[in-house]
Amino acid sequence: MRRRTLAREHALKILYQFDITKRPIEAVVESYWRYEETKDQEIMAYANLLAQGVSGQIQGIDNKISDYATNWQIKRMAIIDRNVMRIGLYELQHTTDIPPKVAINEAVELAKKYGDLESSKFVNGILDKIHKKEIVEPQN
């Protein structure tokens, strides 16, 4: 599996703990890596970037997701679904080296692996709407 894909999985696990425990992200990250076997610095760095980036922008990210998730409140969404979307939206809005379609596809794959049967469709629908309406891709 590719390093960034693995990093996204770790970020999801970190954000899941962050969501459940309500502890500061720094404490969650430190605790997570203490017991995790992965010691690949590139994976750890990107996972931390995503987890800390999402936590630092969480209000804006959640508001954006809520704007596009018609009839869904963020707090009522499955924890996995909302954190997968948070990671995907963070990558859409705050990374320049990841094409939007890759960010969406990676989020959908995370939802397939960790969510329920409908998670991937839900995640894809919301992130795709946001991408089409708000994310401007550079022209070649």
Side-chain angles (χ1 to χ4, degrees), residues 18-63:
F18 174 70
D19 212 348
I20 295 278
T21 65
K22 307 295 187 219
R23 293 172 50 218
I25 192 67
E26 296 79 15
V28 175
V29 167
E30 182 183 328
S31 172
Y32 179 81
W33 291 118
R34 188 177 313 131
Y35 299 104
E36 182 54 46
E37 290 180 19
T38 301
K39 298 302 176 206
D40 182 308
Q41 293 302 307
E42 190 177 328
I43 291 171
M44 293 171 70
Y46 195 65
N48 291 346
L49 174 96
L50 292 174
Q52 292 169 335
V54 167
S55 72
Q57 303 284 328
I58 201 155
Q59 194 62 51
I61 289 171
D62 285 357
N63 288 342

Side-chain angles (χ1 to χ4, degrees), residues 19 65 74-75 77-86:
D19 212 348
I65 291 168
I74 199 89
K75 64 184 178 188
M77 292 177 189
I79 295 172
I80 293 293
D81 294 356
R82 73 175 166 241
N83 282 297
V84 166
M85 284 188 284
R86 286 170 174 164

